[in-house]
Amino acid sequence: MRAVGLITEYNPLHNGHLYHLTQAKQRTGADCTVVVMSGNWLQRGEPAILDKWTRTQLALDAGADLVIELPVFYATQPAHLFARGGVELLTALGCDSLVFGAEHPELDFGQLMAAFPNGREAFKQYNATYATLFNAALKTATGQALTKANDMLGFCYYVANQHLGGQLKLVPIKRQGADHNDDHLTADQFASGTAIRQAARQHQWDALAPVVPAATLTQLQTQHLTQWADFWPYLHYQLLTTTVERSGQYDQMAEGLEYRLREMAQGATSFTAFLQQVKSKRYTYTRLQRVATAMLLQLTATEVQTAQAHNYVRVLGFNQTGQTYLHQVKKSLNLPLYTKINQKLRLHEMALDYRAGRVYELINGQSQDLYRRPLIKSN
Amino acid sequence: MRAVGLITEYNPLHNGHLYHLTQAKQRTGADCTVVVMSGNWLQRGEPAILDKWTRTQLALDAGADLVIELPVFYATQPAHLFARGGVELLTALGCDSLVFGAEHPELDFGQLMAAFPNGREAFKQYNATYATLFNAALKTATGQALTKANDMLGFCYYVANQHLGGQLKLVPIKRQGADHNDDHLTADQFASGTAIRQAARQHQWDALAPVVPAATLTQLQTQHLTQWADFWPYLHYQLLTTTVERSGQYDQMAEGLEYRLREMAQGATSFTAFLQQVKSKRYTYTRLQRVATAMLLQLTATEVQTAQAHNYVRVLGFNQTGQTYLHQVKKSLNLPLYTKINQKLRLHEMALDYRAGRVYELINGQSQDLYRRPLIKSN
């Protein structure tokens, strides 16, 4: 059996993702689709609108054969680290290709990478927005810039894959319809995640029906739609009680930002108002949201870096095809494989994911890890 | 002018406290009563039922001339440290006596202290309940034990006063009526704080009227009655996200207790249920509540010890007599005097009190420090 990999968030799963899944099989002729999906906390530093189990079920319903969780210490990171975590899992799982959406699939990532010899060094810079820093250097070297989010992510997949031995064939496909950040729905079958989440929060079910699978619509209509505002009381409390010394240890904190966070927390009355007050030219909203996530989950830079060196394959769900494939690759897997969380994993190897899940549970009320087994979809 | 000192919590102020204030003046013939009162967090590791400003007003109404806050790094400590903080403030403020309630005012504290030469050493032990440890040693040395809370506290005042040069004349008075922990009201004019708080939470106003001043009754009827349950969501969140390494740094944490707290937090659904699960023979409820307070306020042992070495006189309120007295002693004060909180104090000298106030505010909604000036009562 041959497998194609996808790296996803499914926040929530929509028609663009269905297209992605179909294309992944068509373009590669693979027998099995392996979907690496972020858990409950996402790359833009926010909670998923639906929890990871609901999104796993939607992925299986949409045709994914095997769903693997991208651990929180990769899922909430800048593009290059997010990409590294995902590519590492797909490589470990023996996939031979990675299909991803890009605004400009015609870009020659190899050429870009070759023209940018210090790419790896730039990855280590934390104090400016990674994308800004990277693009400035890229522009100097090549005269080009990667201004679109998915082009950028594609480039990061490319670099990660090269560093990991180049096992995956990278297959960019043209993203359909809306731009990643478009915030309104059009009379199209494709819409951005941002527009879909906004419409769902406003209960615009008629507008949503054409752009998401029926199963997604049902989940959006029946589940609590989690958002940052839900966690604001906890973050605010944390901001009010954490010293700047401690705060400075959180993951992705920029030098001096901890003082600004402390000051702005004093009079803040909502998460949105707080972020607006903290925002400056130095930091993007996404960066600030990621720092807020690290603070809420009390993820220190040290913890995250240590965990990143010990990635693992956490199975969230599969169908018969996925199960057969997993059985096939199990023996040669060079990362630990976890299908359920026991006492030892909870306290050690999976401690950060468990913690992230417990915080999500404070709002969601559903156990995210304890007693949970992979979802099994009958073919 | 001569001043008598009292060390109090007023949680809330009741007839026993009125008696205490009257006796303090009568027994000593002092011109001024200086009341050191805990702020929003108390010695038994719990939030005050009414905030410090409401309780200051009640104290002034009851005849206190000058009200000083016992900082949180002394107010939430075992008896010997609570006593030390209070005695230090009264000594600095030039008081010449300290009047306190005791179950057995006839006890000869000097004799007890003399019979117990290692008293100071025992004070440094954190891993057993202080009172238990102390009484075991005392019993070995003298055959006696201090089994009553206020006798014990009186002994601690005695020891602290001796260590600070013995400026205060200690005047124990017999506590009236109910025992400290009695939890029901009787047809008496005196009742315990525990019984009063319980009756207030059950809106038993008729039963309360005979045992508290009218002003206290009004406040209990109109203000939110703060309790631990209010802070449980924050504590629970903190328990779920703090590592045992970090948790082990909190003030008064016993060795190994951080692991027990983490485990019991997993399934806990309320503060009461949580404490019951954590409780064992090794730890009293009071001790556990103090640890929970330290965790909620993120007070580390290092922070608390550093702060204890830098006590200060924070004025909460006064009348004309108190103002005159304060003016008289101001020049010779050997501790810093703070009447309002500015940027520097908020971030440094008073950081722990400010933090403690901000957490209380999350429930209470009233600014506890910022923009607050001492209350002034016209005589």
Side-chain angles (χ1 to χ4, degrees):
Chain A
M1 276 176 94
R2 287 175 48 238
V4 55
L6 297 83
I7 300 175
T8 70
E9 292 198 312
Y10 293 162
N11 187 40
L13 191 137
H14 56 59
N15 289 353
H17 299 126
L18 277 182
Y19 176 80
H20 182 205
L21 271 164
T22 317
Q23 288 290 309
K25 280 204 167 172
Q26 277 188 14
R27 301 263 185 125
T28 62
D31 312 296
C32 176
T33 47
V34 176
V35 170
V36 167
M37 186 186 81
S38 300
N40 292 315
W41 299 91
L42 308 180
Q43 205 260 326
R44 303 209 296 170
E46 58 195 10
I49 193 168
L50 298 169
D51 74 17
K52 62 188 180 187
W53 299 102
T54 305
R55 284 153 50 237
T56 297
Q57 188 61 58
L58 292 175
L60 294 172
D61 291 347
D65 296 312
L66 176 59
V67 183
I68 303 296
E69 179 169 0
L70 182 64
V72 67
F73 45 81
Y74 278 119
T76 59
Q77 295 293 310
H80 62 296
L81 291 168
F82 174 89
R84 192 176 93 190
V87 169
E88 188 177 30
L89 292 178
L90 294 178
T91 301
L93 282 160
C95 295
D96 51 24
S97 56
L98 163 59
V99 175
F100 60 96
E103 289 84 359
H104 301 94
E106 69 281 7
L107 283 166
D108 184 337
F109 292 125
Q111 199 181 30
L112 288 178
M113 190 180 167
F116 186 51
N118 292 321
R120 287 196 85 163
E121 282 313 298
F123 288 178
K124 291 175 186 164
Q125 293 273 3
Y126 262 109
N127 288 337
T129 302
Y130 173 76
T132 311
L133 190 84
F134 171 81
N135 271 314
L138 187 68
K139 197 137 196 176
T140 309
T142 68
Q144 292 193 61
L146 292 175
T147 56
K148 296 292 187 179
N150 287 277
D151 288 345
M152 180 71 178
L153 205 49
F155 180 73
C156 291
Y157 293 146
Y158 188 89
V159 173
N161 187 45
Q162 288 303 105
H163 291 156
L164 289 167
Q167 175 185 308
L168 305 176
K169 180 177 177 241
L170 262 63
V171 185
I173 55 172
K174 174 84 181 155
R175 275 177 63 89
Q176 298 300 303
D179 218 1
H180 187 64
N181 289 313
D182 274 1
D183 61 358
H184 57 278
L185 296 175
T186 55
D188 192 359
Q189 61 169 312
F190 297 107
S192 75
T194 306
I196 288 168
R197 291 190 295 277
Q198 194 173 301
R201 295 212 166 91
Q202 295 167 358
H203 294 193
Q204 297 173 359
W205 311 126
D206 291 346
L208 279 171
V211 297
V212 299
T216 297
L217 189 63
T218 303
Q219 294 297 345
L220 290 173
Q221 287 172 327
T222 52
Q223 305 253 354
H224 173 71
L225 304 181
T226 306
Q227 56 185 331
W228 243 120
D230 294 326
F231 299 96
W232 169 244
Y234 299 112
L235 179 67
H236 193 207
Y237 154 73
Q238 192 64 258
L239 284 160
L240 293 174
T241 54
T242 307
T243 62
V244 285
E245 290 73 24
R246 166 86 179 148
S247 188
Q249 298 171 354
Y250 289 128
D251 188 48
Q252 301 176 60
M253 189 68 75
E255 205 182 318
L257 179 57
E258 64 271 32
Y259 293 91
R260 193 171 170 83
L261 292 174
R262 178 176 65 180
E263 279 319 292
M264 299 311 175
Q266 297 308 319
T269 53
S270 72
F271 182 68
T272 311
F274 171 65
L275 269 205
Q276 275 169 359
Q277 286 182 296
V278 176
K279 180 79 178 78
S280 76
K281 277 190 187 167
R282 278 187 76 178
Y283 315 110
T284 61
Y285 274 110
T286 301
R287 166 68 176 278
L288 293 175
Q289 289 201 153
R290 281 202 291 261
V291 169
T293 301
M295 192 162 205
L296 178 73
L297 304 180
Q298 295 210 58
L299 297 172
T300 66
T302 308
E303 278 182 323
V304 168
Q305 281 159 32
T306 305
Q308 284 174 345
H310 299 89
N311 206 357
Y312 47 76
V313 177
R314 163 80 183 281
V315 182
L316 290 177
F318 46 73
N319 59 19
Q320 186 62 55
T321 308
Q323 189 168 28
T324 307
Y325 182 74
L326 192 58
H327 192 73
Q328 175 187 308
V329 297
K330 215 185 226 172
K331 281 163 220 147
S332 55
L333 214 57
N334 61 0
L335 290 180
L337 176 72
Y338 303 140
T339 52
K340 60 178 178 173
I341 191 163
N342 60 26
Q343 170 92 340
K344 181 173 162 290
L345 292 178
R346 167 166 76 79
L347 297 178
H348 301 286
E349 293 87 341
M350 296 185 63
L352 302 193
D353 266 329
Y354 180 71
R355 192 194 302 169
R358 282 310 306 255
V359 174
Y360 197 87
E361 264 181 70
L362 289 173
I363 300 302
N364 169 280
Q366 306 292 315
S367 173
Q368 291 301 305
D369 292 295
L370 234 45
Y371 317 118
R372 298 300 294 244
R373 301 283 195 133
L375 300 178
I376 302 174
K377 169 138 181 119
S378 40
N379 292 50
Chain B
M1 279 176 92
R2 287 177 48 238
V4 56
L6 298 82
I7 299 175
T8 70
E9 292 197 313
Y10 292 162
N11 188 39
L13 191 138
H14 56 60
N15 289 353
H17 299 127
L18 277 182
Y19 175 80
H20 181 205
L21 270 164
T22 316
Q23 288 290 310
K25 279 204 168 174
Q26 277 189 15
R27 301 265 185 124
T28 62
D31 312 294
C32 177
T33 46
V34 176
V35 170
V36 166
M37 185 187 81
S38 299
N40 293 314
W41 299 90
L42 307 180
Q43 205 261 326
R44 303 209 297 171
E46 58 195 10
I49 192 168
L50 298 169
D51 75 16
K52 62 188 180 188
W53 299 101
T54 305
R55 283 153 49 238
T56 296
Q57 188 60 58
L58 293 174
L60 293 172
D61 291 348
D65 296 311
L66 176 59
V67 183
I68 304 296
E69 180 169 0
L70 182 65
V72 66
F73 45 81
Y74 278 120
T76 59
Q77 296 294 309
H80 61 296
L81 291 169
F82 174 89
R84 193 177 92 189
V87 169
E88 188 177 28
L89 291 178
L90 295 177
T91 302
L93 282 160
C95 296
D96 51 24
S97 57
L98 163 59
V99 175
F100 61 96
E103 289 84 359
H104 302 94
E106 69 282 7
L107 283 167
D108 184 338
F109 293 125
Q111 197 181 31
L112 287 178
M113 189 180 166
F116 187 50
N118 293 322
R120 288 195 85 163
E121 282 313 298
F123 286 178
K124 292 176 185 164
Q125 294 272 4
Y126 263 108
N127 288 336
T129 302
Y130 173 76
T132 311
L133 191 84
F134 169 83
N135 272 314
L138 188 68
K139 196 135 197 176
T140 310
T142 68
Q144 292 193 61
L146 293 175
T147 56
K148 296 291 184 179
N150 287 278
D151 287 345
M152 181 71 179
L153 205 48
F155 178 74
C156 291
Y157 293 146
Y158 187 89
V159 173
N161 186 45
Q162 288 302 104
H163 291 156
L164 289 166
Q167 174 185 308
L168 305 176
K169 180 178 179 239
L170 263 63
V171 184
I173 56 173
K174 173 86 181 155
R175 276 178 62 89
Q176 298 301 304
D179 217 359
H180 187 63
N181 288 314
D182 274 2
D183 62 358
H184 57 278
L185 296 175
T186 54
D188 193 356
Q189 61 168 314
F190 297 107
S192 76
T194 307
I196 289 168
R197 290 190 295 277
Q198 193 174 302
R201 295 213 167 88
Q202 294 167 358
H203 295 193
Q204 297 173 0
W205 311 126
D206 291 348
L208 280 171
V211 297
V212 298
T216 297
L217 189 62
T218 303
Q219 294 297 346
L220 290 173
Q221 287 172 326
T222 53
Q223 305 252 355
H224 172 71
L225 305 180
T226 305
Q227 56 184 329
W228 242 119
D230 294 326
F231 298 96
W232 169 245
Y234 300 112
L235 179 68
H236 193 206
Y237 155 73
Q238 192 65 257
L239 285 160
L240 294 174
T241 55
T242 307
T243 61
V244 285
E245 290 73 23
R246 166 85 180 150
S247 188
Q249 298 171 355
Y250 289 128
D251 188 48
Q252 300 175 62
M253 190 67 75
E255 204 182 318
L257 179 57
E258 65 269 34
Y259 294 92
R260 193 171 170 84
L261 292 174
R262 176 175 67 180
E263 279 318 292
M264 298 312 175
Q266 297 309 320
T269 53
S270 72
F271 182 69
T272 311
F274 171 65
L275 269 206
Q276 275 169 358
Q277 285 182 297
V278 176
K279 181 81 177 77
S280 76
K281 276 191 188 167
R282 278 187 76 178
Y283 315 111
T284 60
Y285 274 110
T286 300
R287 166 69 177 276
L288 293 175
Q289 289 202 153
R290 281 203 290 262
V291 169
T293 301
M295 192 161 205
L296 178 73
L297 304 179
Q298 296 210 56
L299 297 172
T300 65
T302 308
E303 279 183 321
V304 167
Q305 281 159 32
T306 304
Q308 284 173 346
H310 299 88
N311 207 356
Y312 47 77
V313 177
R314 163 79 183 282
V315 183
L316 291 176
F318 46 73
N319 59 17
Q320 187 60 55
T321 308
Q323 190 168 26
T324 307
Y325 182 75
L326 192 59
H327 192 72
Q328 174 187 308
V329 298
K330 215 187 231 174
K331 282 162 220 149
S332 55
L333 214 58
N334 62 359
L335 290 180
L337 178 71
Y338 303 139
T339 52
K340 59 178 177 174
I341 190 162
N342 60 25
Q343 170 91 340
K344 182 173 161 288
L345 293 177
R346 167 166 75 80
L347 297 177
H348 301 286
E349 292 86 342
M350 297 184 63
L352 302 192
D353 266 329
Y354 180 71
R355 193 193 302 169
R358 283 310 306 255
V359 174
Y360 196 87
E361 264 181 70
L362 289 174
I363 300 303
N364 169 280
Q366 307 292 315
S367 174
Q368 291 302 305
D369 292 293
L370 235 43
Y371 317 118
R372 297 300 294 246
R373 301 281 195 135
L375 299 179
I376 302 174
K377 167 134 184 128
S378 40
N379 292 49

